[in-house]
Amino acid sequence: MIFFKNLFLLLLLLSIVLFAQDITIASQEIISTDSPEELIDNELHTYESSNPKNFEESKEQIETTLNSINTTIPIKEFYPQIVEVPTVPSEPIERPIPIYRDKKTIEETFNKLITQSKKEHKIILLEIYGTNCHFCEKMEKETFPKETVKEELKDNFIMLKVNGDEEYIPLDISIQMTPMHVFITETKDIKDMTFGFLGEKDFLELLEKEKN
C-alpha cells in the first residue's frame, strides 16, 4: 500500500519538475523494482543523462518529498500488527465404551432374560444404540442416570442394551434409527417400539405406558 502511494507522489512530483523546465522525455516502460528507492534511482539516472544542469536540484526536491512522506505516514497504519488468535481445541466427547458380543452370546443372554421376564412378569426393554449416535450418547448422559428412571427400570422392566452397528439384534429386529426402544413381552412378542432421544419426563411417561 505505502509503496504505491509513494510511487504515485514521486511520479507526480517528477512530472511537475519536467514540465516546469519544458523537458520532453521519451516514454519508457516502467519495470517493477523491489523497493521505491530502486525505482527512484532509475528515474533519476534517466533525468540526469538528459538534464545534467538541473539534476542536483530535482534530486534534492524528490528526496525532501520522500523524507516528508516517510515521517508523516507511519508504516503501521498500512501494516497493522497481526495478532494470531490461538485455536482452542474442543473437548473430546466421552463416548460409552461398547461391549461387542457375538450372536450366540446375545441369544443366550436374551433367552435368560425371557425366563426372568416370565418369572417376574416384567417387560423386556431392548435398547438399541449406535456407535456414533449423538442422541444415544445424550440419553446415556442425561436420561438413564436419573434416579427416577433407574428406579422405574429396576422395578418394572428388564433391560438389554445392544450396539446395533456391531452386534446381533434379538428377534432379527431391523434398525430404522437409533436410539431405538423396543418393548418385548415374555412370549417374545414385540409390544411396542419408539425411536429417538427422550428426556427424563418423556421417557418416564413412555415407561409408565409400556409396563405391565
Side-chain angles (χ1 to χ4, degrees), residues 158-208:
I158 300 171
M159 191 171 188
L160 173 62
K161 292 185 178 181
V162 175
N163 187 324
D165 293 331
E166 299 289 340
E167 299 178 324
Y168 168 75
I169 302 176
L171 305 180
D172 291 318
I173 297 174
S174 60
I175 300 177
Q176 299 182 36
M177 67 174 291
T178 56
M180 187 172 175
H181 325 289
V182 185
F183 297 90
I184 304 172
T185 67
E186 62 186 39
T187 58
K188 296 186 179 182
D189 295 322
I190 297 177
K191 183 175 183 288
D192 197 4
M193 64 175 65
T194 61
F195 311 90
F197 170 81
L198 294 172
E200 178 184 7
K201 180 181 177 181
D202 293 334
F203 193 57
L204 286 174
E205 290 179 357
L206 176 63
L207 296 180
E208 181 65 26

Side-chain angles (χ1 to χ4, degrees), residues 8-187:
F8 175 76
L9 292 174
L10 292 172
L11 292 178
L12 180 61
L13 179 59
L14 185 58
S15 298
I16 294 173
V17 173
L18 295 178
F19 278 111
Q21 299 295 329
D22 295 324
I23 298 171
T24 302
I25 301 179
S27 61
Q28 56 180 290
E29 182 180 0
I30 299 178
I31 303 175
S32 299
T33 59
D34 294 334
S35 66
E37 288 76 10
E38 291 183 13
L39 182 60
I40 293 169
D41 288 342
N42 291 337
E43 294 294 337
L44 290 178
H45 177 73
T46 302
Y47 183 62
E48 179 183 14
S49 61
S50 58
N51 303 275
K53 295 181 180 180
N54 299 321
F55 171 72
E56 292 297 330
E57 180 181 353
S58 300
K59 180 179 179 182
E60 182 179 353
Q61 291 177 358
I62 292 174
E63 290 179 346
T64 302
T65 303
L66 179 60
N67 292 334
S68 176
I69 293 174
N70 289 336
T71 56
T72 57
I73 305 177
I75 294 179
K76 66 180 181 180
E77 292 184 8
F78 295 94
Y79 301 96
Q81 182 180 6
I82 300 176
V83 179
E84 294 184 0
V85 180
T87 302
V88 180
S90 58
E91 295 183 359
I93 299 176
E94 295 182 3
R95 303 184 185 276
I97 301 175
I99 302 175
Y100 300 124
R101 295 157 292 188
D102 57 24
K103 179 178 179 179
K104 180 179 179 181
T105 301
I106 290 180
E107 284 184 331
E108 290 176 352
T109 301
F110 181 69
N111 288 330
K112 289 180 181 179
L113 296 182
I114 288 294
T115 301
Q116 182 182 350
S117 173
K118 292 177 180 179
K119 181 180 179 180
E120 300 179 5
H121 302 291
K122 293 180 179 180
I123 294 291
I124 294 176
L125 171 55
L126 175 61
E127 187 73 14
I128 304 173
Y129 64 95
T131 303
N132 297 313
C133 171
H134 168 71
F135 290 106
C136 300
E137 296 173 3
K138 190 175 176 64
M139 284 200 69
E140 285 293 329
K141 293 180 179 180
E142 300 180 12
T143 304
F144 290 117
K146 300 294 185 182
E147 290 298 326
T148 53
V149 173
K150 290 193 291 186
E151 291 177 4
E152 183 66 23
L153 289 173
K154 179 181 178 182
D155 294 340
N156 299 294
F157 295 88
I158 300 171
M159 191 171 188
L160 173 62
K161 292 185 178 181
V162 175
N163 187 324
D165 293 331
E166 299 289 340
E167 299 178 324
Y168 168 75
I169 302 176
L171 305 180
D172 291 318
I173 297 174
S174 60
I175 300 177
Q176 299 182 36
M177 67 174 291
T178 56
M180 187 172 175
H181 325 289
V182 185
F183 297 90
I184 304 172
T185 67
E186 62 186 39
T187 58

